[in-house]
Amino acid sequence: MQRRNNIIRNLDWVATILYIVLVLMGWLNIYAAVYSDEHRNILDFSQRYGKQLVWIFFAFIMAIVILFSNDRIYPAFAYIFYGIILLTLISTLLFGRVVNASKSWIPIGSFGLQPAEFAKIATALALAKLMSSYGFKLSGFWSYVKVGIVIGLPVGIILLQNDTGSALVFGSLILVLYREGLPAWILSYLVFLVLVFILTLVYSTSVLVAFIFAVAVILFILYTRQYRDAFRVSIGAIGIGVLLYILSELFHLKLSNGLIFLIPVVVTAILGLLYAYKNRLKPVYAISLFLIATLGFSMSADYVFEHVLDVHHQKRINDLLGIENDPLGWGYNVNQSKIAIGSGGFWGKGYLSGTQTKYNFVPEQSTDFIFCTVGEEWGFIGSAIVVMLIALFLLRLLKIAERQTEHFARIYGYGVVSILFFHAAVNIGMTIGLVPVIGIPLPFFSYGGSSLWAFTILVFILLRFDASRYGAY
């Protein structure tokens, strides 16, 4: 009894109340998204909002069970949980049910369970176990290999299930690595590679190579302050390019403009690498490696886009970047979502009064596109309140994670925040046309038992750690 009273007293009630508010707001929006005159009863269990209410009830039961469980089972059995979920993912790949071209569901009667949602919990626990183990330090090649294996195994299986959206969520765990000592330059470089990938799709090879070379020259100037050398290198690369162009015209070599730009830059990078290695100039060595690695990535980006990504991913990215315009095809969902949100204006049309919602103009409006129901019926004010509540909830969880004194609890806490932040940011971003549609739910709002239960377990394990007073207020 004393232990139970301590848990109740030490529970972070701010985070708990925010969780309950978000879940109930999500349920009301699911009701609004699928409401019809034939089914007005909010307790109609044949409808999605009725089923969601059942899943909310069981989610609350799960939260209570977690709070009164022994918090030591999570670090003790983290690898076992991880192994079980990997086997479940493999079983799903072999025997699962295909939904929306993704073989990621286990049929249980009329209900479908998506193990990929629970894989995020197991991976966060396993990563916390690894990085909190005695003697582990995030430095050196093998530490990164171990982390990469823990994150990469579920990602690989989920990609084989053709569930790219769920797989991308695991990339958010890089924020955990950054908190635990990942150098800032690695995080910055990964963000830069995303920019390079986008530019590869929009601009020609010659423009892209010129951009990468210009960035390398700027970095060279910033780190060495050798303005004359930077000028000489630039002139040398341009000279090689001009020479190649002249030779191409004289001997009819038919070199493309992209290749004429690429060859001198690659030659410059290799010469810089050899010179830096011989004279032990670390900045020049690093910048030369940066140039070679970035050029290699940019040259492979087109191949990845054309041969690795599915057609619907290609179309959605092209539609987002304005390369293609297909408002009645691949861009239909996003276009209708933006219309719904824009039609809500400042104050919204009122609860259960959304016309876009009532006439089913937006597909998947109760799941991936639930936020457009908020925008249409609650307007800018309502949307801002929802975003603010999600932000407050994440900030509260971040505070809880940061005040943990045990490494396992802190690392796991940052995993929770990273996963929830990625889901919220990407889901809202895709409904307003800022990011490609990748099919991931809005936490606590989107219809679905698997996602709600997974988010609930994810959050309440952290709250259980905090209630044990690993940290102090």
Side-chain angles (χ1 to χ4, degrees):
M1 181 63 71
Q2 181 64 36
R3 177 173 172 270
R4 183 179 300 174
N5 290 336
N6 287 339
I7 291 172
I8 294 173
R9 184 177 65 252
N10 294 335
L11 180 64
D12 192 299
W13 284 101
V14 174
T16 304
I17 291 171
L18 284 170
Y19 161 82
I20 294 172
V21 169
L22 289 171
V23 168
L24 294 179
M25 289 177 69
W27 177 53
L28 291 174
N29 275 279
I30 292 170
Y31 176 66
V34 299
Y35 173 83
S36 67
D37 291 333
E38 291 79 14
H39 300 278
R40 295 187 177 187
N41 186 0
I42 198 170
L43 299 178
D44 186 347
F45 295 105
S46 67
Q47 300 300 302
R48 285 193 167 189
Y49 46 82
K51 295 176 182 178
Q52 186 75 4
L53 184 60
V54 174
W55 294 331
I56 290 172
F57 172 77
F58 282 107
F60 287 171
I61 296 297
M62 290 177 184
I64 294 171
V65 171
I66 291 170
L67 288 177
F68 292 106
S69 65
N70 189 331
D71 56 283
R72 291 298 178 181
I73 66 173
Y74 302 108
F77 293 95
Y79 288 148
I80 294 177
F81 294 150
Y82 181 74
I84 291 172
I85 203 66
L86 287 181
L87 291 175
T88 307
L89 287 173
I90 293 171
S91 300
T92 307
L93 180 63
L94 297 175
F95 310 109
R97 184 176 66 191
V98 177
V99 178
N100 293 331
S102 174
K103 196 176 184 181
S104 57
W105 294 84
I106 296 178
I108 306 175
S110 60
F111 175 69
L113 193 69
Q114 190 176 17
E117 295 292 343
F118 300 94
K120 300 163 192 174
I121 307 169
T123 304
L125 288 170
L127 186 64
K129 178 72 172 179
L130 171 66
M131 297 181 68
S132 63
S133 59
Y134 179 76
F136 183 89
K137 188 177 181 182
L138 195 61
S139 61
F141 176 75
W142 288 111
S143 65
Y144 289 110
V145 169
K146 292 175 183 177
V147 167
I149 290 173
V150 169
I151 299 175
L153 284 176
V155 170
I157 301 172
I158 293 170
L159 284 174
L160 291 175
Q161 295 175 353
N162 199 30
D163 189 2
T164 308
S166 294
L168 288 174
V169 175
F170 290 81
S172 65
L173 294 174
I174 194 171
L175 299 177
V176 181
L177 306 185
Y178 177 69
R179 170 61 181 83
E180 296 302 315
L182 181 73
W185 70 265
I186 295 180
L187 185 62
S188 302
Y189 182 61
L190 292 175
V191 174
F192 179 73
L193 288 183
V194 174
L195 175 62
V196 170
F197 181 80
I198 295 172
L199 293 177
T200 301
L201 305 180
V202 178
Y203 296 103
S204 64
T205 302
S206 56
V207 173
L208 184 65
V209 171
F211 169 74
I212 295 172
F213 183 69
V215 172
V217 170
I218 292 171
L219 289 175
F220 179 82
I221 293 172
L222 289 175
Y223 282 97
T224 66
R225 303 293 181 182
Q226 300 296 324
Y227 299 96
R228 291 184 178 179
D229 288 344
F231 179 75
R232 291 167 183 167
V233 168
S234 301
I235 292 298
I238 293 172
I240 295 174
V242 172
L243 180 61
L244 284 173
Y245 179 78
I246 294 172
L247 292 175
S248 176
E249 291 295 319
L250 287 176
F251 297 99
H252 305 288
L253 299 177
K254 296 182 180 180
L255 296 177
S256 66
N257 290 336
L259 195 59
I260 290 174
F261 273 80
L262 180 63
I263 291 175
V265 173
V266 171
V267 170
T268 302
I270 293 173
L271 290 176
L273 199 62
L274 295 174
Y275 178 77
Y277 180 77
K278 180 180 179 180
N279 295 279
R280 297 182 180 181
L281 300 175
K282 289 184 178 180
V284 178
Y285 187 76
I287 292 168
S288 299
L289 282 177
F290 160 83
L291 190 54
I292 292 172
T294 308
L295 287 171
F297 175 83
S298 66
M299 294 303 105
S300 64
D302 267 330
Y303 178 84
V304 171
F305 184 79
E306 295 293 340
H307 298 92
V308 176
L309 295 182
D310 291 332
V311 173
H312 64 278
H313 294 134
Q314 297 172 11
K315 295 293 185 180
R316 286 169 177 173
I317 293 173
N318 284 337
D319 184 76
L320 176 69
L321 297 176
I323 299 173
E324 295 182 14
N325 184 24
D326 188 13
L328 299 179
W330 295 106
Y332 180 79
N333 287 24
V334 175
N335 188 53
Q336 293 299 320
S337 175
K338 291 192 289 186
I339 291 173
I341 293 173
S343 68
F346 193 76
W347 296 107
K349 296 176 180 177
Y351 189 58
L352 303 181
S353 300
T355 54
Q356 294 291 115
T357 298
K358 296 299 170 291
Y359 296 106
N360 297 318
F361 283 111
V362 184
E364 308 296 337
Q365 191 159 339
S366 63
T367 54
D368 297 342
F369 285 86
I370 188 70
F371 189 74
C372 69
T373 303
V374 178
E376 183 181 18
E377 297 192 348
W378 297 7
F380 174 80
I381 291 295
S383 300
I385 290 173
V386 169
V387 171
M388 182 181 67
L389 286 173
I390 293 173
L392 288 174
F393 184 60
L394 292 175
L395 288 173
R396 188 66 184 183
L397 293 180
L398 189 64
K399 180 179 180 180
I400 291 171
E402 191 58 46
R403 72 189 179 200
Q404 305 306 306
T405 56
E406 291 203 2
H407 292 326
F408 182 92
R410 187 188 69 236
I411 295 168
Y412 175 77
Y414 270 86
V416 173
V417 175
S418 299
I419 291 168
L420 291 176
F421 170 75
F422 185 91
H423 267 275
V426 171
N427 181 278
I428 294 174
M430 72 185 192
T431 60
I432 59 178
L434 292 181
V435 298
V437 177
I438 61 173
I440 60 174
L442 180 61
F444 316 116
F445 272 73
S446 294
Y447 167 80
S450 294
S451 60
L452 176 62
W453 291 351
F455 290 135
T456 298
I457 295 170
L458 194 70
V459 168
F460 276 87
I461 290 176
L462 175 59
L463 295 182
R464 178 65 185 88
F465 286 143
D466 190 60
S468 297
R469 281 299 176 264
Y470 285 134
Y473 283 87

